[in-house]
Amino acid sequence: MLMGLAVLLALGVLYAAFEIGRYDAGFRVVDSVRGALSASARIRDLEKENERQRTQLEAAEVARRVDREGYKQVERSLGDMQSQIARLNQDLSFYRGLVQPDSIIHVKVQQMQIVPETIPGLYRLKFVLMQTGKPDSVVAGSAAITVDGLLRGKPSSLSFGQVAPNRRVSLAYSFRYFQDYDEPIQLPQGFEPTRIGVEIRSGRDRDASHSFHQAFVWKAQGMSVETEAGGNPPVKGGADVQTETE
């Protein structure tokens, strides 16, 4: 009898444990389902946010490309305009060179090119002297070169004798139509050139005040272009001035 009661009690305990376990498992399943649903909703929110940010990024990329293309077009337009201005200035320089009114000196620099060499501070000045107006006869004289700039941060002006390897003070000329020059110069260490000047004197006129001066903005590996010119009858203590810039 007691044995039967014990068996029944054991069966009842096992059944109760089974039901409790199933009940607890049911809650865990519900929690798992709830967690899965919550995670799924979070994933959808993240995917929406990711899509929104991707759309913004694509829009920003398109805007950046448009801006870049716009900048390129502006740069091309500016480059074309500068090229046109340079060509027009060269034409203007040529026609100015044909007529140099009220000037005793009928010689001018038509082109100035500054070419850097491999040695630091060494350059070659390539330029052409030409006779203005009608070349009826041979002209002769001298041309003195100066280089203006900054030496260790302070304004400085170097004469041709200071930069020419052979220490010549000036360059002689004698021609009827034009004369080419290719002159090396060596700038001192720490000198930053900003402008180069050419003062032309006639061999027939002994008055030192009678000269024709041209100034070029220093531009290595490029051709300086005439943009300004001034010509007045030279007076004692003065000189015609002609400025060449980019």
Side-chain angles (χ1 to χ4, degrees):
M1 185 70 177
L2 292 174
M3 182 64 69
L5 291 173
V7 172
L8 290 174
L9 181 61
L11 291 174
V13 171
L14 290 174
Y15 180 75
F18 172 76
E19 290 294 335
I20 292 173
R22 190 174 63 173
Y23 182 78
D24 183 61
F27 271 108
R28 290 183 181 180
V29 170
V30 171
D31 290 341
S32 298
V33 172
R34 288 177 179 173
L37 292 175
S38 177
S40 178
R42 178 60 178 164
I43 290 172
R44 287 195 297 271
D45 292 340
L46 291 175
E47 288 178 345
K48 290 180 180 179
E49 178 65 19
N50 188 31
E51 183 64 24
R52 185 181 65 83
Q53 292 184 0
R54 185 184 295 110
T55 302
Q56 291 179 350
L57 181 61
E58 291 176 352
E61 179 66 19
V62 171
R64 187 176 66 84
R65 290 179 181 176
V66 170
D67 290 341
R68 187 168 60 246
E69 290 299 323
Y71 290 145
K72 288 182 179 179
Q73 290 180 2
V74 171
E75 289 177 353
R76 286 194 293 267
S77 297
L78 289 176
D80 293 341
M81 291 177 61
Q82 290 175 351
S83 299
Q84 292 177 10
I85 291 173
R87 287 194 296 269
L88 291 174
N89 283 328
Q90 287 177 341
D91 293 342
L92 181 60
S93 176
F94 173 77
Y95 290 118
R96 280 176 175 170
L98 297 178
V99 179
Q100 190 171 319
D102 299 328
S103 176
I104 293 177
I105 311 300
H106 296 285
V107 174
K108 65 167 290 184
V109 176
Q110 181 60 31
Q111 295 178 339
M112 171 65 73
Q113 188 177 13
I114 305 168
V115 181
E117 298 287 2
T118 55
I119 300 176
L122 182 63
Y123 298 86
R124 302 195 74 86
L125 302 181
K126 297 183 178 182
F127 59 95
V128 178
L129 286 181
M130 66 170 290
Q131 187 172 180
T132 62
K134 189 176 181 180
D136 294 326
S137 60
V138 173
V139 291
S142 64
I145 295 176
T146 56
V147 182
D148 299 328
L150 299 175
L151 182 59
R152 297 179 181 87
K154 297 182 179 180
S156 178
S157 181
L158 303 176
S159 66
F160 188 60
Q162 291 175 292
V163 298
N166 52 17
R167 301 305 177 190
R168 284 184 297 174
V169 177
S170 62
L171 299 171
Y173 68 84
S174 178
F175 61 90
R176 181 172 181 178
Y177 297 103
F178 64 89
Q179 187 169 339
D180 292 320
Y181 290 86
D182 187 351
E183 301 295 327
I185 61 171
Q186 178 67 57
L187 301 181
Q189 186 177 2
F191 185 81
E192 299 179 10
T194 58
R195 193 177 72 160
I196 183 168
V198 182
E199 187 173 7
I200 303 172
R201 300 182 185 278
S202 172
R204 297 179 180 179
D205 189 350
R206 299 301 178 182
D207 192 337
S209 66
H210 293 169
S211 64
F212 185 73
H213 182 266
Q214 293 174 266
F216 300 82
V217 171
W218 184 276
K219 182 181 179 183
Q221 291 184 330
M223 195 76 68
S224 295
V225 180
E226 179 181 354
T227 58
E228 298 178 8
N232 294 317
V235 295
K236 193 175 182 62
D240 291 340
V241 177
Q242 186 162 318
T243 303
E244 310 273 342
T245 63
E246 294 185 74

